[in-house]
Amino acid sequence: MIKKTTIALALTMAFCATASAADNAAARQVQALEERIAKLEQLLQAVKNEAQQAGEVARKADSTASEAKAASATQAALTEKAAETASSFEFGAYARSGTLSGSDQFTVEGVGPYITPAARLGGAVGRLGLESDTYVEAKMAKRFQTADGTTGVFHFMLADGTNSNNDWTAGENGVNVRHVFAELGNLAAFKGTAFEGATLWAGKRFDKKNFDIHFLDSDVVFLAGTGAGFYDAQVTPDWKTSFSVYGRDFVVDDQTTSGVDVRGKSYIATSNNYIGDWQVMLSGMRAKQNDVRYPERATTGYHGLLAYHAPSFYGVANGFSKTGVLYGNGLGAQVKVLGGQGSLLDDAEAVRVFTMGVTDLNANWKIAPALMAEVSKDRFNKGDDYKWATANVRLVNSINQNFAMTYEGSVQYMDLDSTFSSASGNFYKLTVAPTFKLDTGGGFFARPELRLFASYLAWDKDLNGFSYDSAQDPDGGFGNTRFNDDSKWLLGAQMEVWF
């Protein structure tokens, strides 16, 4: 009995020990699972945190990208606006500057394209080798355009000139506003009319239909002042017309007004027409107060120009040529500067003819001949009689890409009778000018140019001392100079540029 009890007790203790061991093992497994779960929760939280950080970084990246895109768009708009603004502005210029002296190495005065006694009549000679002045024009323009295509332009030009060779000439010259005006074109209101392509303008300006003979430094017609008008109304497919009214001032020296000058004013109304290659220009002038002191001075005048602008060199070679005739009466007898001279008589008359052309003789030689001649009478004094004619030729021989030899010869005939004095004779000029250029292949009008030059001048001595206002002075100089002999050598250097 005791034995059975002992066995039963042993089995019970063994079972309890086994159960306890099982419970301990289960507890350890649970603890291990809990630790693993805790680690998984920590890992999950870390992943969650990293995901949140990544989302924040992504949001910041999106925000930065949006800001960058906006900044880029703003910069692009600013760049486009700046480019648009820059493209709406234009700048151009003309300038020349030179020095010359005689064989005695003294600076000479009165030398230039208008050196001769015929200068007061507009009698220019070839300019090469005669210019010693410094002159500059700076031209600026601002363009506007609306969505419907209407355009506007504001123009502004400053100019300055002096004959001094010094670097500081503020006391000897003055900066001048040569033009300031505005234009409107392609106006929507003119659609479907003859004015559809026309340009309206007002202000102070040179007429844009002016043209010149560059080699003589002479405009064929110089119409300028302050006024208004329109350009290029299309009358027919081959006919464009322009119309303008300008006002100009000139001073009448009137001692009857207690020494106060009377400022006369002339008005010029002009109709300028281009019909194919032909130009017909008609002008009328009025200066109501011009006869305040001198009753015989002109108060009215008229002027006409007929010109042919050939697209070839007189029909025989490539290039171009221009030929025409001008007539003026009264105030129009100053056939170049319209309405610019108040000392003309009522009966003044003038006729001027001109021709000029430019062509290549071959690959290395270019030629530009020009001829201008005029007859006039009753101009400043009743019975005065003036005749002059200038023939000029410029030749350019290209030596290489940057160097050319330039030659120019002029002959001017004069027969002048002012009723105070009279003179007749010829003036001659020959200039040789070694010339440096950017590219000699650019032609006659490619600039800039740097020149050295030597000019020989000769004239008939009978021309010395001629005067428009008093008796001829036998000891007087030639034309606008103090030269009192019959020839002169000039040496110098010059630059010229335009763009």
Side-chain angles (χ1 to χ4, degrees):
M1 184 68 178
I2 295 172
K3 186 174 182 181
K4 290 180 179 181
T5 304
T6 302
I7 292 171
L9 181 61
L11 289 172
T12 301
M13 291 178 64
F15 176 78
C16 291
T18 301
S20 177
D23 289 341
N24 290 338
R28 286 195 298 272
Q29 289 179 353
V30 169
Q31 184 177 1
L33 287 172
E34 290 176 347
E35 289 176 354
R36 289 176 65 185
I37 290 170
K39 288 181 179 180
L40 287 173
E41 288 177 346
Q42 290 176 356
L43 181 60
L44 182 61
Q45 185 62 42
V47 171
K48 185 177 180 181
N49 290 339
E50 289 180 1
Q52 289 176 343
Q53 291 176 359
E56 185 66 24
V57 170
R59 283 192 296 273
K60 289 182 178 180
D62 288 342
S63 177
T64 302
S66 298
E67 291 174 359
K69 185 176 181 181
S72 177
T74 302
Q75 183 61 42
L78 291 173
T79 302
E80 183 179 355
K81 184 65 176 177
E84 179 183 347
T85 301
S87 66
S88 70
F89 280 93
E90 296 179 3
F91 176 72
Y94 168 79
R96 64 175 181 264
S97 182
T99 183
L100 61 80
S101 62
S103 56
D104 53 8
Q105 298 185 8
F106 278 95
T107 297
V108 294
E109 298 180 359
V111 173
Y114 295 88
I115 185 176
T116 75
R120 186 172 173 183
L121 309 171
V125 297
R127 69 194 297 179
L128 185 68
L130 289 182
E131 292 175 320
S132 62
D133 63 331
T134 294
Y135 177 75
V136 60
E137 294 175 348
K139 298 175 287 186
M140 291 155 278
K142 163 65 177 174
R143 298 189 174 275
F144 308 86
Q145 184 167 351
T146 63
D148 64 5
T150 301
T151 61
V153 189
F154 169 69
H155 296 268
F156 181 69
M157 179 199 289
L158 291 176
D160 184 30
T162 180
N163 286 307
S164 173
N165 286 169
N166 295 336
D167 63 321
W168 187 260
T169 58
E172 303 174 36
N173 59 351
V175 175
N176 176 55
V177 177
R178 288 209 76 181
H179 74 215
V180 53
F181 66 96
E183 296 178 308
L184 293 175
N186 296 319
L187 276 74
F190 291 158
K191 296 293 184 182
T193 72
F195 287 89
E196 181 171 351
T199 300
L200 306 181
W201 67 269
K204 174 182 175 181
R205 71 173 303 171
F206 311 140
D207 192 271
K208 80 172 185 178
K209 301 297 185 179
N210 292 346
F211 65 98
D212 68 349
I213 299 177
H214 170 74
F215 313 106
L216 297 180
D217 191 23
S218 176
D219 292 279
V220 172
V221 171
F222 184 76
L223 178 59
T226 304
F230 66 84
Y231 288 123
D232 299 329
Q234 194 79 51
V235 182
T236 71
D238 294 325
W239 176 15
K240 284 188 176 182
T241 187
S242 303
F243 181 79
S244 63
V245 176
Y246 284 92
R248 289 184 63 92
D249 293 336
F250 43 78
V251 173
V252 179
D253 183 13
D254 186 5
Q255 296 179 358
T256 66
T257 57
S258 303
V260 177
D261 290 338
V262 176
R263 183 166 292 277
K265 186 167 189 176
S266 64
Y267 289 94
I268 310 101
T270 299
S271 172
N272 201 356
N273 303 273
Y274 283 81
I275 305 169
D277 295 326
W278 291 89
Q279 179 184 3
V280 179
M281 182 177 181
L282 301 172
S283 301
M285 281 147 266
R286 172 72 166 157
K288 186 176 180 180
Q289 301 297 322
N290 197 38
D291 59 352
V292 169
R293 182 179 178 190
Y294 301 103
E296 67 272 20
R297 293 294 185 238
T299 58
T300 61
Y302 53 88
H303 177 280
L305 162 69
L306 176 64
Y308 180 65
H309 302 265
S312 65
F313 184 74
Y314 300 105
V316 299
N318 292 329
F320 71 89
S321 56
K322 299 176 183 290
T323 304
V325 58
L326 304 98
Y327 172 79
N329 176 268
L331 290 174
Q334 165 51 285
V335 292
K336 184 176 83 170
V337 184
L338 301 189
Q341 192 167 41
S343 56
L344 297 162
L345 301 183
D346 273 325
D347 295 330
E349 286 187 295
V351 178
R352 181 179 293 187
V353 295
F354 69 91
T355 188
M356 61 88 66
V358 173
T359 191
D360 293 349
L361 294 176
N362 55 42
N364 297 319
W365 283 89
K366 298 174 175 60
I367 187 170
L371 173 68
M372 184 179 286
E374 181 180 284
V375 296
S376 61
K377 64 179 183 178
D378 298 326
R379 191 168 185 141
F380 310 117
N381 307 298
K382 192 67 176 177
D384 63 13
D385 189 6
Y386 305 107
K387 304 177 183 69
W388 61 267
T390 298
N392 184 77
V393 176
R394 186 177 291 192
L395 285 162
V396 176
N397 178 25
S398 300
I399 306 301
N400 57 42
Q401 183 177 351
N402 303 115
F403 180 74
M405 290 297 297
T406 305
Y407 309 92
E408 186 172 89
S410 290
V411 178
Q412 185 180 82
Y413 165 75
M414 290 158 278
D415 184 3
L416 312 174
D417 183 358
S418 69
T419 71
F420 293 101
S421 68
S422 61
S424 64
N426 297 311
F427 166 81
Y428 309 93
K429 187 211 73 159
L430 178 63
T431 298
V432 178
T435 303
F436 292 90
K437 306 182 69 166
L438 285 176
D439 184 2
T440 55
F444 263 116
F445 300 105
R447 298 294 185 273
E449 286 188 352
L450 307 179
R451 310 164 179 143
L452 301 174
F453 60 80
S455 296
Y456 176 71
L457 317 180
W459 59 92
D460 293 330
K461 234 178 177 181
D462 184 54
L463 297 168
N464 290 350
F466 172 80
S467 173
Y468 288 89
D469 308 307
S470 60
Q472 189 158 344
D473 180 3
D475 298 321
F478 171 73
N480 292 319
T481 73
R482 298 175 183 175
F483 305 156
N484 55 14
D485 44 19
D486 59 4
S487 63
K488 193 76 172 179
W489 274 99
L490 301 174
L491 303 173
Q494 186 190 41
M495 79 86 189
E496 186 176 45
V497 63
W498 61 64
F499 56 90

Short mmCIF file of all heavy atoms in Angstrom, two decimals, residues 120-143:
data_model
loop_
_atom_site.label_atom_id
_atom_site.label_comp_id
_atom_site.label_asym_id
_atom_site.label_seq_id
_atom_site.Cartn_x
_atom_site.Cartn_y
_atom_site.Cartn_z
N ARG A 120 28.30 130.71 -102.20
CA ARG A 120 27.05 131.31 -101.75
C ARG A 120 25.88 130.92 -102.64
O ARG A 120 24.72 130.98 -102.23
CB ARG A 120 27.20 132.84 -101.72
CG ARG A 120 26.02 133.57 -101.12
CD ARG A 120 26.31 135.04 -100.96
NE ARG A 120 25.13 135.79 -100.55
CZ ARG A 120 25.09 137.10 -100.39
NH1 ARG A 120 26.19 137.83 -100.60
NH2 ARG A 120 23.97 137.71 -100.04
N LEU A 121 26.17 130.49 -103.84
CA LEU A 121 25.14 130.06 -104.79
C LEU A 121 24.92 128.55 -104.73
O LEU A 121 24.12 128.02 -105.50
CB LEU A 121 25.55 130.46 -106.21
CG LEU A 121 25.94 131.92 -106.41
CD1 LEU A 121 26.52 132.13 -107.79
CD2 LEU A 121 24.74 132.83 -106.18
N GLY A 122 25.64 127.87 -103.84
CA GLY A 122 25.54 126.41 -103.76
C GLY A 122 26.53 125.68 -104.61
O GLY A 122 26.40 124.47 -104.83
N GLY A 123 27.55 126.39 -105.11
CA GLY A 123 28.53 125.80 -106.00
C GLY A 123 29.58 125.00 -105.28
O GLY A 123 30.68 125.50 -104.98
N ALA A 124 29.28 123.73 -104.99
CA ALA A 124 30.21 122.86 -104.29
C ALA A 124 31.20 122.23 -105.27
O ALA A 124 30.92 122.09 -106.46
CB ALA A 124 29.47 121.76 -103.54
N VAL A 125 32.36 121.85 -104.75
CA VAL A 125 33.34 121.07 -105.50
C VAL A 125 33.58 119.77 -104.74
O VAL A 125 33.06 119.57 -103.64
CB VAL A 125 34.66 121.85 -105.68
CG1 VAL A 125 34.42 123.10 -106.51
CG2 VAL A 125 35.28 122.21 -104.33
N GLY A 126 34.38 118.85 -105.30
CA GLY A 126 34.62 117.57 -104.65
C GLY A 126 35.15 117.72 -103.24
O GLY A 126 36.07 118.49 -102.98
N ARG A 127 34.60 116.97 -102.30
CA ARG A 127 34.91 117.14 -100.88
C ARG A 127 36.17 116.42 -100.44
O ARG A 127 36.77 116.80 -99.43
CB ARG A 127 33.73 116.66 -100.04
CG ARG A 127 33.53 115.14 -100.09
CD ARG A 127 32.19 114.71 -99.54
NE ARG A 127 32.02 115.03 -98.13
CZ ARG A 127 30.91 114.76 -97.45
NH1 ARG A 127 29.89 114.17 -98.06
NH2 ARG A 127 30.82 115.07 -96.17
N LEU A 128 36.57 115.38 -101.15
CA LEU A 128 37.72 114.59 -100.70
C LEU A 128 38.97 115.45 -100.64
O LEU A 128 39.32 116.12 -101.61
CB LEU A 128 37.94 113.41 -101.65
CG LEU A 128 39.04 112.42 -101.23
CD1 LEU A 128 38.61 111.65 -99.99
CD2 LEU A 128 39.35 111.47 -102.38
N GLY A 129 39.64 115.44 -99.49
CA GLY A 129 40.87 116.19 -99.33
C GLY A 129 40.68 117.65 -99.02
O GLY A 129 41.67 118.40 -98.98
N LEU A 130 39.45 118.10 -98.77
CA LEU A 130 39.19 119.51 -98.45
C LEU A 130 38.55 119.70 -97.07
O LEU A 130 38.41 120.84 -96.62
CB LEU A 130 38.27 120.14 -99.50
CG LEU A 130 38.86 120.39 -100.88
CD1 LEU A 130 37.83 121.06 -101.79
CD2 LEU A 130 40.11 121.25 -100.81
N GLU A 131 38.15 118.62 -96.42
CA GLU A 131 37.43 118.76 -95.15
C GLU A 131 38.39 118.68 -93.97
O GLU A 131 39.16 117.73 -93.84
CB GLU A 131 36.38 117.66 -95.03
CG GLU A 131 35.25 117.82 -96.03
CD GLU A 131 34.26 116.67 -95.99
OE1 GLU A 131 34.70 115.52 -95.84
OE2 GLU A 131 33.06 116.93 -96.11
N SER A 132 38.30 119.68 -93.10
CA SER A 132 39.14 119.70 -91.90
C SER A 132 38.32 119.81 -90.63
O SER A 132 38.86 119.98 -89.55
CB SER A 132 40.12 120.87 -91.97
OG SER A 132 39.41 122.11 -92.00
N ASP A 133 36.99 119.74 -90.76
CA ASP A 133 36.14 119.92 -89.59
C ASP A 133 35.90 118.59 -88.88
O ASP A 133 36.19 117.51 -89.41
CB ASP A 133 34.80 120.54 -90.00
CG ASP A 133 34.01 119.65 -90.95
OD1 ASP A 133 34.64 118.87 -91.70
OD2 ASP A 133 32.77 119.73 -90.94
N THR A 134 35.36 118.69 -87.68
CA THR A 134 34.85 117.53 -86.94
C THR A 134 33.35 117.70 -86.82
O THR A 134 32.86 118.69 -86.29
CB THR A 134 35.47 117.43 -85.54
OG1 THR A 134 36.87 117.15 -85.67
CG2 THR A 134 34.82 116.32 -84.73
N TYR A 135 32.61 116.75 -87.36
CA TYR A 135 31.15 116.83 -87.35
C TYR A 135 30.60 115.45 -87.01
O TYR A 135 31.09 114.43 -87.50
CB TYR A 135 30.62 117.27 -88.72
CG TYR A 135 29.11 117.29 -88.78
CD1 TYR A 135 28.39 118.30 -88.16
CD2 TYR A 135 28.41 116.27 -89.43
CE1 TYR A 135 27.00 118.32 -88.20
CE2 TYR A 135 27.02 116.28 -89.47
CZ TYR A 135 26.33 117.30 -88.85
OH TYR A 135 24.96 117.30 -88.87
N VAL A 136 29.57 115.42 -86.15
CA VAL A 136 28.99 114.14 -85.74
C VAL A 136 27.49 114.28 -85.58
O VAL A 136 26.98 115.30 -85.10
CB VAL A 136 29.62 113.63 -84.43
CG1 VAL A 136 29.41 114.61 -83.28
CG2 VAL A 136 29.09 112.25 -84.05
N GLU A 137 26.76 113.26 -86.02
CA GLU A 137 25.33 113.13 -85.80
C GLU A 137 25.08 111.81 -85.08
O GLU A 137 25.57 110.77 -85.51
CB GLU A 137 24.56 113.10 -87.12
CG GLU A 137 24.61 114.38 -87.93
CD GLU A 137 23.94 114.24 -89.28
OE1 GLU A 137 23.64 113.09 -89.69
OE2 GLU A 137 23.73 115.29 -89.93
N ALA A 138 24.33 111.86 -84.00
CA ALA A 138 23.94 110.65 -83.27
C ALA A 138 22.42 110.54 -83.34
O ALA A 138 21.70 111.40 -82.82
CB ALA A 138 24.40 110.71 -81.83
N LYS A 139 21.93 109.46 -84.00
CA LYS A 139 20.50 109.31 -84.24
C LYS A 139 19.94 108.15 -83.42
O LYS A 139 20.51 107.06 -83.43
CB LYS A 139 20.26 109.06 -85.73
CG LYS A 139 20.70 110.20 -86.63
CD LYS A 139 20.55 109.86 -88.10
CE LYS A 139 21.60 108.86 -88.55
NZ LYS A 139 21.55 108.62 -90.02
N MET A 140 18.83 108.40 -82.75
CA MET A 140 18.18 107.39 -81.93
C MET A 140 16.70 107.30 -82.30
O MET A 140 16.10 108.31 -82.69
CB MET A 140 18.33 107.71 -80.45
CG MET A 140 19.76 107.56 -79.94
SD MET A 140 20.10 108.57 -78.49
CE MET A 140 20.45 110.15 -79.26
N ALA A 141 16.13 106.11 -82.18
CA ALA A 141 14.72 105.92 -82.48
C ALA A 141 14.14 104.86 -81.55
O ALA A 141 14.81 103.88 -81.20
CB ALA A 141 14.52 105.49 -83.93
N LYS A 142 12.91 105.05 -81.15
CA LYS A 142 12.16 104.09 -80.35
C LYS A 142 10.89 103.72 -81.11
O LYS A 142 10.10 104.58 -81.51
CB LYS A 142 11.79 104.70 -78.99
CG LYS A 142 10.69 103.98 -78.22
CD LYS A 142 11.06 102.58 -77.80
CE LYS A 142 9.92 101.93 -76.98
NZ LYS A 142 10.19 100.52 -76.67
N ARG A 143 10.67 102.40 -81.31
CA ARG A 143 9.53 101.92 -82.09
C ARG A 143 8.43 101.36 -81.18
O ARG A 143 8.72 100.77 -80.14
CB ARG A 143 9.98 100.85 -83.08
CG ARG A 143 10.98 101.37 -84.10
CD ARG A 143 11.25 100.38 -85.23
NE ARG A 143 12.11 101.00 -86.23
CZ ARG A 143 11.68 101.75 -87.22
NH1 ARG A 143 10.37 101.94 -87.37
NH2 ARG A 143 12.49 102.30 -88.09
#
